[in-house]
């Protein structure tokens, strides 16, 4: 597609429920990233996928967070047993090949998650 | 870890004014990007500028890597320039962007 797309745009859930957020990267981009933007923490890295390599999960805040990328394209970020502090905007980005910082990352519109 | 600080945190301008936004980083970086986050939350790429100077219309950016700072210049500001401006850096051997604290710009007619 023309850009990175994310769904849903907005998600309201109750504390303790699981949620799944979806990201479709730019066609042909092999590197995919998830970031989170929250009021207290600013923009922070969560996880990075590059081709068939093992993902870099170093930014995931707890074991309630996981992500997968199927077929080297679409990615799903799952948050289990959501807590109110998970409320944030979850942003997905992609780049052509993730070549050790040599390329621009392009961001999607984000999913706004509110945990009640 | 690396610290990325932006100044000023807030900036209010009248349409037509010029401004300079600054990004300081505490360690050597492999890459630096400037983004504009519009009022709807979309992050828009402005510049990929690990060093040197680039210009795009009314915007230009300069990164002095040896002195660990970057500047974003906005000339003849317009109300559509309002939003939050972020710089983000990449350390060597990593692909995760580390974002600065942001500068919130409001341009009034």
């Amino acid at each position: 597609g023309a850009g990175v797309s994310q769904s849903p745009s907005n998600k309201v859930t109750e504390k303790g429920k699981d949620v799944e957020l979806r990201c479709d990267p730019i066609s042909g981009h092999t590197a995919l990233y998830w970031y989170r933007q929250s009021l207290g923490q600013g923009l922070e890295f969560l996880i990075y996928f590059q081709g068939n390599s093992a993902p870099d999960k170093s930014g995931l805040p707890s074991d309630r967070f996981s992500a997968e990328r199927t077929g080297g394209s679409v990615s799903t970020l799952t948050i289990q047993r959501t807590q109110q502090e998970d409320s944030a905007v979850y942003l997905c980005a992609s780049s052509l090949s993730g070549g050790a910082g040599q390329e621009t990352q392009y961001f999607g519109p984000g999913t706004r998650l509110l945990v009640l | 870890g690396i610290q990325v600080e932006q100044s000023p945190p807030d900036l209010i301008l009248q349409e037509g004014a010029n401004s300079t936004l600054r990004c300081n980083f505490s360690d050597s970086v492999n890459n630096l990007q400037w983004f504009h986050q519009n009022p709807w939350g979309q992050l828009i790429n402005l510049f990929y500028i690990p060093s040197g100077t680039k210009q795009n219309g009314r915007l230009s950016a300069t990164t002095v890597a040896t002195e660990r700072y970057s500047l974003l210049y906005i000339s003849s500001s317009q109300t559509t320039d309002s939003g939050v401006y972020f710089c983000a850096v990449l350390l060597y051997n990593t692909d995760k962007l580390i974002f600065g604290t942001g500068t919130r710009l409001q341009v009034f007619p």
Side-chain angles (χ1 to χ4, degrees):
Chain A
V4 178
S5 60
Q6 294 186 243
S7 60
S9 300
N10 296 280
K11 177 72 177 178
V12 180
T13 190
E14 294 179 348
K15 178 181 173 181
K17 302 279 190 182
D18 297 352
V19 294
E20 286 189 352
L21 313 179
R22 177 187 168 105
C23 171
D24 283 87
I26 293 172
S27 178
H29 281 195
T30 62
L32 185 146
Y33 316 77
W34 284 97
Y35 295 84
R36 177 171 73 172
Q37 185 173 25
S38 54
L39 280 176
Q41 302 297 323
L43 271 153
E44 54 182 346
F45 165 83
L46 296 177
I47 187 169
Y48 160 57
F49 296 89
Q50 169 50 39
N52 296 320
S53 303
D56 177 350
K57 304 179 183 179
S58 59
L60 295 179
S62 78
D63 58 9
R64 294 186 296 104
F65 287 72
S66 63
E68 62 178 21
R69 188 177 185 193
T70 53
S73 181
V74 171
S75 176
T76 302
L77 177 69
T78 301
I79 309 173
Q80 295 179 308
R81 306 181 302 282
T82 52
Q83 304 293 312
Q84 289 178 332
E85 61 262 29
D86 299 335
S87 296
V89 178
Y90 290 82
L91 292 159
C92 177
S94 70
S95 67
L96 193 58
S97 65
Q102 299 302 310
E103 293 166 359
T104 301
Q105 295 184 24
Y106 296 91
F107 282 77
T111 293
R112 286 153 189 76
L113 174 66
L114 177 61
V115 182
L116 300 176
Chain B
I2 187 172
Q3 303 297 313
V4 185
E5 296 187 353
Q6 294 184 240
S7 60
D10 295 278
L11 187 57
I12 299 174
L13 297 175
Q14 191 161 23
E15 209 168 23
N18 302 328
S19 62
T20 300
L21 282 59
R22 186 177 182 103
C23 172
N24 291 332
F25 41 97
S26 61
D27 204 347
S28 298
V29 299
N30 191 25
N31 179 12
L32 186 144
Q33 290 184 235
W34 281 98
F35 296 90
H36 173 214
Q37 188 168 41
N38 65 22
W40 296 270
Q42 176 73 55
L43 274 170
I44 300 164
N45 287 284
L46 297 178
F47 294 101
Y48 166 96
I49 186 165
S51 64
T53 298
K54 290 186 178 180
Q55 180 156 8
N56 184 3
R58 295 181 298 103
L59 302 181
S60 64
T62 295
T63 297
V64 184
T66 53
E67 297 187 21
R68 299 181 184 171
Y69 73 89
S70 183
L71 302 174
L72 178 68
Y73 305 95
I74 305 174
S75 64
S76 305
S77 58
Q78 301 177 358
T79 55
T80 51
D81 295 333
S82 297
V84 183
Y85 289 80
F86 290 101
C87 65
V89 302
L90 272 168
L91 302 178
Y92 289 92
N93 301 315
T94 180
D95 283 277
K96 35 189 164 180
L97 283 171
I98 299 169
F99 282 82
T101 48
T103 292
R104 182 175 299 276
L105 173 65
Q106 298 179 71
V107 181
F108 292 95

